Amino acid sequence: MNSKKRFLSLALVLSGLVSTLVLTTNASDSVKDSIGIVDASALRLRAEPNTSSEIKDLSYRGDYVVVLDQEGDWYKVIYNTTEGYMHGDYLTVKERENVELGYGRINTGLVNMRSEPSTSGDLVAQISGGEEAYIIGFNCGWYKVIYDDQVGYIRSDLLDLTEVPYANSGSSESPKYFINGDPISSIPSASDSDDSQQEDSYYEESEDTYYEDSEDSEDSYYEDSDSYYEDSDSSDDDEYIDNTSSAGDTIVDEAMRYLGVPYVWGGSSPSGFDCSGYVQYVMRACGYSINRTASAQLEDGYAVSYSNLLPGDLVFFHSTYDTDAPASHVGIYIGDDQFIHAGGDYVQVSNLSSGYYSDHYLCARRIG
């Protein structure tokens, strides 16, 4: 009788272990490797790591992907919840990045949210399977999240992306906590352990940071360099798509939809735009992710000369509002020496080649 009880107890224990292993195995294939940033005007997501495989999706410059693995010159990634491959020549890969990936869902029974990206971090909260946390960053295999008004870290294999990242061109949502990579005041306070050296390295600005906005970089706008004011050649590769003509027409069509929308300082929606908010909104609707302010938008795309302007190009002006910023105004060229912009009291079309805007013209950039 006792032997039967021992056998039954052992069977129950083994059954529990098997259930735990199955649950853990189903959670995810592995801890995610890093974050990738698309560095081409358009980049294909392939089903396999070669140029002859099926195209599963198309990403745009500035879009984020979650990197799962590397296979030769290709990265296995998750782009907008779809898994596939992207060529490494057109991705900037980082182990740490402030990026709003939107909501992720816990894919196992119960997970620990830690105060730092390590299993030795203090326990901040426990989250049940099926619940969601808002992802605001990535740090060496861990997602940085906000859950129940607390900031912490969850190992990346325990959280599945559920939507298009808010920072990506295909998202219908706007980032809530970061603007051009910098935290804004509404982000909840992190725990004391966020002041650790590891956390400092997460926020520090590096030379290759995607959203660099320093005084040195602003000064460089005035230098006579290829980077900002001169035409640059775009490369032609199977994974890189140059669709300038059709893209420009699409941008202009989208821009014209908002004629007459009132000018609102700091506005970035059809209820009211300022100049750069209007340009960013239009470009996002057309599948491009660009910076927020006019000066920061000088870093987007590549330079084109006045004589080579095409519809859809961004045109920049200086000293428009008595400011020392490198660019104080921006609009979208629509052809025939005209551009559309949020200026004065509303979104309107103005002449580029005469009058005030001709005198204050700075340069032009082509996105994509």
Side-chain angles (χ1 to χ4, degrees):
M1 185 70 178
N2 289 336
S3 62
K4 289 183 177 180
K5 287 183 177 179
R6 285 197 297 270
F7 178 79
L8 181 59
S9 297
L10 180 60
L12 289 172
V13 170
L14 289 173
S15 176
L17 287 174
V18 169
S19 298
T20 301
L21 286 172
V22 169
L23 184 61
T24 303
T25 302
N26 288 341
S28 182
D29 292 336
S30 63
V31 174
K32 279 62 174 180
D33 184 73
S34 49
I35 290 291
I37 305 169
V38 175
D39 191 21
S41 58
L43 181 62
R44 296 181 175 103
L45 179 73
R46 297 279 186 176
E48 301 293 338
N50 58 71
T51 57
S52 60
S53 65
E54 173 194 355
I55 299 172
K56 302 181 73 173
D57 206 341
L58 189 63
S59 65
Y60 298 92
R61 189 184 302 277
D63 281 355
Y64 287 88
V65 302
V66 176
V67 178
L68 302 175
D69 199 4
Q70 185 171 8
E71 299 184 21
D73 294 332
W74 295 76
Y75 285 106
K76 187 178 182 180
V77 304
I78 299 172
Y79 172 65
N80 291 356
T81 72
T82 301
E83 192 172 301
Y85 292 84
M86 289 181 172
H87 199 280
D89 286 349
Y90 305 102
L91 285 178
T92 299
V93 177
K94 298 183 177 183
E95 291 185 341
R96 301 178 181 88
E97 180 73 0
N98 290 334
V99 54
E100 297 193 40
L101 299 178
Y103 285 95
R105 182 175 295 113
I106 301 299
N107 59 26
T108 186
L110 187 69
V111 302
N112 295 327
M113 185 169 80
R114 301 283 184 178
S115 62
E116 58 185 80
S118 167
T119 54
S120 61
D122 294 335
L123 183 63
V124 176
Q126 289 191 314
I127 311 176
S128 300
E131 291 194 66
E132 294 186 338
Y134 187 76
I135 303 171
I136 60 171
F138 188 89
N139 193 335
C140 297
W142 293 68
Y143 286 128
K144 186 171 186 179
V145 304
I146 296 174
Y147 173 77
D148 197 22
D149 292 330
Q150 298 182 91
V151 176
Y153 295 86
I154 297 175
R155 211 174 63 198
S156 60
D157 59 328
L158 305 176
L159 200 61
D160 291 335
L161 303 181
T162 61
E163 57 186 333
V164 175
Y166 289 13
N168 280 7
S169 54
S171 177
S172 60
E173 304 286 348
S174 297
K176 295 177 172 61
Y177 296 104
F178 292 103
I179 296 177
N180 295 345
D182 298 322
I184 60 176
S185 58
S186 62
I187 190 170
S189 298
S191 64
D192 292 339
S193 61
D194 281 349
D195 294 329
S196 65
Q197 182 176 357
Q198 186 172 17
E199 182 64 11
D200 287 341
S201 67
Y202 176 75
Y203 281 113
E204 68 181 1
E205 295 246 352
S206 60
E207 291 181 0
D208 62 348
T209 183
Y210 184 67
Y211 290 116
E212 185 175 7
D213 188 15
S214 63
E215 292 183 1
D216 291 340
S217 66
E218 288 185 355
D219 290 341
S220 67
Y221 293 134
Y222 291 112
E223 296 175 2
D224 186 13
S225 66
D226 294 338
S227 178
Y228 293 100
Y229 294 124
E230 299 181 6
D231 284 310
S232 58
D233 296 328
S234 59
S235 60
D236 186 15
D237 185 272
D238 181 73
E239 296 310 292
Y240 169 89
I241 302 170
D242 186 3
N243 52 1
T244 303
S245 178
S246 59
D249 292 339
T250 299
I251 292 169
V252 171
D253 289 344
E254 179 67 20
M256 296 297 287
R257 291 179 56 198
Y258 306 104
L259 272 173
V261 169
Y263 179 91
V264 175
W265 178 260
S268 58
S269 72
S271 61
F273 291 112
D274 64 13
C275 66
S276 57
Y278 168 65
V279 169
Q280 185 192 52
Y281 186 90
V282 169
M283 299 306 291
R284 179 186 289 275
C286 296
Y288 300 97
S289 179
I290 65 172
N291 291 323
R292 174 61 177 86
T293 66
S295 289
Q297 287 168 4
L298 284 168
E299 296 183 357
D300 295 311
Y302 58 93
V304 291
S305 64
Y306 188 96
S307 59
N308 288 328
L309 279 173
L310 292 176
D313 291 345
L314 307 190
V315 287
F316 295 86
F317 307 86
H318 62 84
S319 303
T320 306
Y321 298 113
D322 296 324
T323 174
D324 292 330
S328 58
H329 193 60
V330 61
I332 299 171
Y333 186 68
I334 63 174
D336 296 326
D337 280 337
Q338 293 186 316
F339 72 104
I340 186 169
H341 61 124
D345 296 325
Y346 51 87
V347 175
Q348 58 185 289
V349 173
S350 297
N351 197 307
L352 188 64
S353 61
S354 62
Y356 180 87
Y357 291 110
S358 175
D359 294 339
H360 292 80
Y361 179 81
L362 179 64
C363 65
R365 308 284 294 178
R366 184 166 296 157
I367 309 300

